[in-house]
Amino acid sequence: MEKQDLFDKSPVRLFDEATEGGLKAGEIGLVTAKKGLGKTSVLVQFGMDTLLQDKQLAHVTFDLHSSNVISWYDGIFAELAKKKNGAADLKDDIVAKRTILNFSLDNFTLAKVVNTLKALKAGGIEVAGVVMDGVDYAKVSDADVKAVADYAKAENVKVWFSASAEGEKLADSVPAALEDYFAIVAHLEQKANDVELIVLKLRDKKNVETSLKLDTKTLLISKK
């Protein structure tokens, strides 16, 4: 019940409310921003959401060491635990369902990542959520993204990507040839004193108003 309480109070509920229920099983989503604005924090919040449902998560990182990824989860969990007395005691049980995979796109394609995820399932770890942090379009082919999309649909898995983007238009966040693979494209943009969370694509809709931002202290999704 305490996990359910944390799930109910998760900032991801704000995202879901603003995006018609958020990402669905079998879909791929994308979070973009300039470096240092909070992409990893958002991905970890989505990943933690899977764990709070007592489901298996695979966190794939292309530009962080595993210890850094663990630190992100520790920090986000600590913030969530403040919302529920005694929640800190749940941490070990929650993260036990997290698998961290560290690869380099210089010598490991997304298609091979999919093969690794399938191997996990064959070994008894059937993930319900995948986050892939630090995807570099220059090192990713259309076939790679299609392989992930096909995997997500076939296995009924939610998959979130993150990638760097300098501009705040959809074309800045994702190459036109890849846009159709993503059900949701969310972008973080510095605006005055806030980092706003902008939804550039929500399935067949573009530039959806969300009134969401990242809290400057906790980096949790919050309302403006």
Side-chain angles (χ1 to χ4, degrees), residues 139-180:
K139 300 176 181 178
V140 170
S141 69
D142 292 8
D144 280 330
V145 179
K146 183 179 185 301
V148 177
D150 289 346
Y151 161 79
K153 186 175 182 179
E155 301 294 337
N156 207 34
V157 171
K158 292 183 183 181
V159 180
W160 278 102
F161 281 28
S162 78
S164 294
E166 293 299 314
E168 58 180 287
K169 295 181 180 179
L170 183 59
D172 300 320
S173 286
V174 58
L178 302 179
E179 181 187 322
D180 286 346

Side-chain angles (χ1 to χ4, degrees), residues 67-108:
S67 59
N68 297 122
V69 175
I70 291 171
S71 293
W72 271 108
Y73 278 91
D74 287 348
I76 294 299
F77 180 80
E79 292 299 332
L80 295 179
K82 292 177 182 178
K83 301 175 182 291
K84 177 70 176 176
N85 291 335
D89 296 335
L90 299 173
K91 179 184 171 183
D92 289 346
D93 183 48
I94 290 171
V95 299
K97 289 184 168 58
R98 178 193 64 201
T99 300
I100 299 174
L101 303 172
N102 196 315
F103 300 115
S104 169
L105 285 174
D106 290 327
N107 52 33
F108 211 86

Side-chain angles (χ1 to χ4, degrees), residues 18-194:
T19 55
E20 300 175 0
L23 197 67
K24 311 295 186 185
E27 294 181 331
I28 303 180
L30 173 65
V31 179
T32 64
K34 293 180 180 179
K35 289 185 177 180
L37 280 189
K39 296 187 299 295
T40 298
S41 174
V42 173
L43 276 198
V44 169
Q45 289 173 69
F46 289 143
M48 186 65 74
D49 218 52
T50 297
L51 297 172
L52 289 175
Q53 295 175 78
D54 220 20
K55 297 176 180 178
Q56 295 280 354
L57 169 77
H59 186 114
V60 181
T61 177
F62 300 108
D63 57 5
L64 290 176
H65 291 295
S66 296
S67 59
N68 297 122
V69 175
I70 291 171
S71 293
W72 271 108
Y73 278 91
D74 287 348
I76 294 299
F77 180 80
E79 292 299 332
L80 295 179
K82 292 177 182 178
K83 301 175 182 291
K84 177 70 176 176
N85 291 335
D89 296 335
L90 299 173
K91 179 184 171 183
D92 289 346
D93 183 48
I94 290 171
V95 299
K97 289 184 168 58
R98 178 193 64 201
T99 300
I100 299 174
L101 303 172
N102 196 315
F103 300 115
S104 169
L105 285 174
D106 290 327
N107 52 33
F108 211 86
T109 65
L110 291 183
K112 289 182 178 179
V113 174
V114 168
N115 288 337
T116 301
L117 295 170
K118 290 179 178 178
L120 284 177
K121 181 180 179 180
I125 300 176
E126 186 170 356
V127 302
V130 178
V131 294
M132 297 190 182
D133 194 8
V135 174
D136 184 345
Y137 295 130
K139 300 176 181 178
V140 170
S141 69
D142 292 8
D144 280 330
V145 179
K146 183 179 185 301
V148 177
D150 289 346
Y151 161 79
K153 186 175 182 179
E155 301 294 337
N156 207 34
V157 171
K158 292 183 183 181
V159 180
W160 278 102
F161 281 28
S162 78
S164 294
E166 293 299 314
E168 58 180 287
K169 295 181 180 179
L170 183 59
D172 300 320
S173 286
V174 58
L178 302 179
E179 181 187 322
D180 286 346
Y181 290 116
F182 296 101
I184 300 177
V185 179
H187 180 70
L188 301 174
E189 185 71 18
Q190 184 73 57
K191 300 283 190 179
N193 296 322
D194 287 328

